[in-house]
Short mmCIF file of all heavy atoms in Angstrom, two decimals:
data_model
loop_
_atom_site.label_atom_id
_atom_site.label_comp_id
_atom_site.label_asym_id
_atom_site.label_seq_id
_atom_site.Cartn_x
_atom_site.Cartn_y
_atom_site.Cartn_z
N MET G 17 -125.04 222.12 -147.94
CA MET G 17 -124.88 221.41 -149.21
C MET G 17 -126.14 220.60 -149.49
O MET G 17 -126.89 220.27 -148.57
CB MET G 17 -123.65 220.49 -149.17
CG MET G 17 -122.35 221.27 -149.03
SD MET G 17 -120.91 220.25 -149.36
CE MET G 17 -121.06 219.95 -151.12
N ALA G 18 -126.32 220.27 -150.75
CA ALA G 18 -127.48 219.47 -151.16
C ALA G 18 -127.09 217.99 -151.22
O ALA G 18 -126.32 217.59 -152.08
CB ALA G 18 -127.96 219.93 -152.53
N PRO G 19 -127.64 217.20 -150.30
CA PRO G 19 -127.31 215.78 -150.31
C PRO G 19 -128.03 215.05 -151.45
O PRO G 19 -129.14 215.42 -151.85
CB PRO G 19 -127.83 215.28 -148.96
CG PRO G 19 -128.95 216.22 -148.63
CD PRO G 19 -128.57 217.54 -149.23
N ILE G 20 -127.37 214.06 -151.98
CA ILE G 20 -127.98 213.16 -152.97
C ILE G 20 -128.05 211.81 -152.28
O ILE G 20 -127.03 211.15 -152.06
CB ILE G 20 -127.15 213.11 -154.27
CG1 ILE G 20 -126.99 214.52 -154.85
CG2 ILE G 20 -127.79 212.15 -155.27
CD1 ILE G 20 -125.93 214.64 -155.92
N TRP G 21 -129.24 211.43 -151.87
CA TRP G 21 -129.45 210.22 -151.07
C TRP G 21 -129.45 208.99 -151.96
O TRP G 21 -130.12 208.97 -152.99
CB TRP G 21 -130.78 210.31 -150.32
CG TRP G 21 -130.92 211.54 -149.49
CD1 TRP G 21 -131.70 212.63 -149.76
CD2 TRP G 21 -130.26 211.83 -148.26
NE1 TRP G 21 -131.57 213.57 -148.77
CE2 TRP G 21 -130.69 213.11 -147.83
CE3 TRP G 21 -129.33 211.14 -147.47
CZ2 TRP G 21 -130.24 213.70 -146.65
CZ3 TRP G 21 -128.89 211.73 -146.30
CH2 TRP G 21 -129.34 212.98 -145.90
N ARG G 22 -128.73 207.97 -151.56
CA ARG G 22 -128.73 206.68 -152.27
C ARG G 22 -128.98 205.58 -151.24
O ARG G 22 -128.09 204.88 -150.81
CB ARG G 22 -127.40 206.46 -153.00
CG ARG G 22 -127.19 207.40 -154.18
CD ARG G 22 -128.22 207.12 -155.28
NE ARG G 22 -127.88 207.76 -156.53
CZ ARG G 22 -128.50 208.81 -157.02
NH1 ARG G 22 -129.50 209.36 -156.37
NH2 ARG G 22 -128.13 209.33 -158.16
N ARG G 23 -130.24 205.48 -150.86
CA ARG G 23 -130.66 204.51 -149.85
C ARG G 23 -130.28 203.09 -150.26
O ARG G 23 -129.89 202.29 -149.41
CB ARG G 23 -132.18 204.60 -149.68
CG ARG G 23 -132.74 203.61 -148.69
CD ARG G 23 -134.24 203.47 -148.76
NE ARG G 23 -134.96 204.68 -148.50
CZ ARG G 23 -136.00 204.76 -147.70
NH1 ARG G 23 -136.42 203.70 -147.05
NH2 ARG G 23 -136.62 205.89 -147.54
N GLU G 24 -130.40 202.79 -151.54
CA GLU G 24 -130.18 201.41 -152.00
C GLU G 24 -128.79 200.89 -151.67
O GLU G 24 -128.60 199.69 -151.52
CB GLU G 24 -130.48 201.26 -153.50
CG GLU G 24 -129.56 202.04 -154.42
CD GLU G 24 -129.94 203.51 -154.62
OE1 GLU G 24 -130.89 204.01 -153.98
OE2 GLU G 24 -129.27 204.16 -155.45
N ASN G 25 -127.81 201.76 -151.57
CA ASN G 25 -126.46 201.29 -151.18
C ASN G 25 -125.95 201.99 -149.92
O ASN G 25 -124.78 201.92 -149.60
CB ASN G 25 -125.47 201.39 -152.33
CG ASN G 25 -125.41 202.76 -152.96
OD1 ASN G 25 -125.87 203.73 -152.38
ND2 ASN G 25 -124.84 202.84 -154.15
N GLY G 26 -126.87 202.68 -149.22
CA GLY G 26 -126.53 203.28 -147.94
C GLY G 26 -125.51 204.40 -148.02
O GLY G 26 -124.71 204.56 -147.09
N LEU G 27 -125.55 205.19 -149.08
CA LEU G 27 -124.57 206.26 -149.27
C LEU G 27 -125.24 207.62 -149.40
O LEU G 27 -126.41 207.71 -149.78
CB LEU G 27 -123.73 206.01 -150.53
CG LEU G 27 -122.91 204.74 -150.56
CD1 LEU G 27 -122.28 204.55 -151.93
CD2 LEU G 27 -121.85 204.76 -149.47
N VAL G 28 -124.47 208.65 -149.09
CA VAL G 28 -124.90 210.02 -149.33
C VAL G 28 -123.81 210.65 -150.19
O VAL G 28 -122.62 210.49 -149.92
CB VAL G 28 -125.03 210.82 -148.01
CG1 VAL G 28 -125.57 212.22 -148.30
CG2 VAL G 28 -125.93 210.09 -147.04
N TRP G 29 -124.24 211.35 -151.23
CA TRP G 29 -123.29 211.97 -152.16
C TRP G 29 -123.51 213.48 -152.18
O TRP G 29 -124.62 213.97 -151.95
CB TRP G 29 -123.52 211.44 -153.58
CG TRP G 29 -123.17 210.01 -153.77
CD1 TRP G 29 -123.99 208.93 -153.55
CD2 TRP G 29 -121.94 209.47 -154.23
NE1 TRP G 29 -123.32 207.77 -153.85
CE2 TRP G 29 -122.06 208.09 -154.27
CE3 TRP G 29 -120.72 210.06 -154.61
CZ2 TRP G 29 -121.03 207.26 -154.69
CZ3 TRP G 29 -119.70 209.23 -155.02
CH2 TRP G 29 -119.85 207.85 -155.06
N PHE G 30 -122.45 214.20 -152.50
CA PHE G 30 -122.49 215.63 -152.75
C PHE G 30 -121.65 215.89 -153.98
O PHE G 30 -120.66 215.20 -154.23
CB PHE G 30 -121.88 216.42 -151.58
CG PHE G 30 -122.58 216.21 -150.27
CD1 PHE G 30 -122.13 215.26 -149.37
CD2 PHE G 30 -123.69 216.98 -149.92
CE1 PHE G 30 -122.76 215.06 -148.16
CE2 PHE G 30 -124.32 216.79 -148.71
CZ PHE G 30 -123.86 215.83 -147.83
N LEU G 31 -122.03 216.90 -154.75
CA LEU G 31 -121.20 217.34 -155.88
C LEU G 31 -120.60 218.69 -155.50
O LEU G 31 -121.27 219.54 -154.93
CB LEU G 31 -122.05 217.46 -157.15
CG LEU G 31 -122.56 216.12 -157.69
CD1 LEU G 31 -123.57 216.34 -158.80
CD2 LEU G 31 -121.41 215.25 -158.17
N THR G 32 -119.34 218.87 -155.84
CA THR G 32 -118.64 220.10 -155.50
C THR G 32 -117.51 220.33 -156.48
O THR G 32 -117.29 219.55 -157.40
CB THR G 32 -118.11 220.04 -154.04
OG1 THR G 32 -117.65 221.33 -153.65
CG2 THR G 32 -117.01 219.03 -153.87
N SER G 33 -116.79 221.40 -156.25
CA SER G 33 -115.65 221.75 -157.10
C SER G 33 -114.36 221.24 -156.46
O SER G 33 -114.24 221.17 -155.24
CB SER G 33 -115.58 223.27 -157.25
OG SER G 33 -114.41 223.64 -157.92
N LEU G 34 -113.40 220.90 -157.30
CA LEU G 34 -112.08 220.47 -156.80
C LEU G 34 -111.39 221.54 -155.97
O LEU G 34 -110.70 221.26 -155.01
CB LEU G 34 -111.17 220.14 -157.99
CG LEU G 34 -111.12 218.71 -158.45
CD1 LEU G 34 -110.29 218.60 -159.72
CD2 LEU G 34 -110.58 217.80 -157.39
N ASP G 35 -111.60 222.79 -156.35
CA ASP G 35 -110.90 223.90 -155.71
C ASP G 35 -111.68 224.43 -154.51
O ASP G 35 -112.14 225.57 -154.52
CB ASP G 35 -110.66 225.01 -156.74
CG ASP G 35 -109.80 226.13 -156.17
OD1 ASP G 35 -108.99 225.85 -155.27
OD2 ASP G 35 -109.96 227.28 -156.62
N THR G 36 -111.86 223.59 -153.49
CA THR G 36 -112.58 224.02 -152.28
C THR G 36 -111.85 223.51 -151.05
O THR G 36 -111.07 222.56 -151.10
CB THR G 36 -114.02 223.45 -152.25
OG1 THR G 36 -113.94 222.03 -152.15
CG2 THR G 36 -114.82 223.86 -153.46
N GLU G 37 -112.14 224.15 -149.93
CA GLU G 37 -111.59 223.70 -148.66
C GLU G 37 -112.09 222.30 -148.31
O GLU G 37 -111.38 221.53 -147.68
CB GLU G 37 -111.96 224.67 -147.54
CG GLU G 37 -111.20 225.97 -147.57
CD GLU G 37 -111.58 226.85 -146.40
OE1 GLU G 37 -111.41 226.41 -145.25
OE2 GLU G 37 -112.03 227.97 -146.66
N LYS G 38 -113.33 222.00 -148.70
CA LYS G 38 -113.90 220.68 -148.39
C LYS G 38 -112.98 219.56 -148.87
O LYS G 38 -112.72 218.61 -148.15
CB LYS G 38 -115.26 220.50 -149.08
CG LYS G 38 -116.37 221.35 -148.59
CD LYS G 38 -117.64 221.05 -149.33
CE LYS G 38 -117.68 221.53 -150.74
NZ LYS G 38 -117.70 222.94 -151.00
N ARG G 39 -112.51 219.70 -150.09
CA ARG G 39 -111.66 218.67 -150.67
C ARG G 39 -110.40 218.50 -149.82
O ARG G 39 -110.00 217.39 -149.49
CB ARG G 39 -111.29 219.02 -152.11
CG ARG G 39 -110.45 217.93 -152.78
CD ARG G 39 -109.92 218.40 -154.11
NE ARG G 39 -109.08 219.58 -154.03
CZ ARG G 39 -107.80 219.58 -153.61
NH1 ARG G 39 -107.23 218.48 -153.22
NH2 ARG G 39 -107.11 220.70 -153.59
N GLN G 40 -109.78 219.59 -149.46
CA GLN G 40 -108.55 219.54 -148.66
C GLN G 40 -108.82 218.97 -147.27
O GLN G 40 -108.04 218.16 -146.76
CB GLN G 40 -107.93 220.94 -148.56
CG GLN G 40 -107.52 221.48 -149.91
CD GLN G 40 -107.28 222.98 -149.89
OE1 GLN G 40 -107.53 223.66 -148.90
NE2 GLN G 40 -106.81 223.51 -151.02
N GLU G 41 -109.93 219.39 -146.67
CA GLU G 41 -110.27 218.91 -145.33
C GLU G 41 -110.53 217.41 -145.33
O GLU G 41 -110.04 216.68 -144.45
CB GLU G 41 -111.48 219.66 -144.80
CG GLU G 41 -111.19 221.12 -144.52
CD GLU G 41 -112.43 221.97 -144.27
OE1 GLU G 41 -113.56 221.44 -144.30
OE2 GLU G 41 -112.25 223.17 -144.04
#
């Protein structure tokens, strides 16, 4: 996956679809 780094608040974000195993997991 492509990480979206947000150093200023210490977070890592990803964008994905609702209909995925990731969401369920």
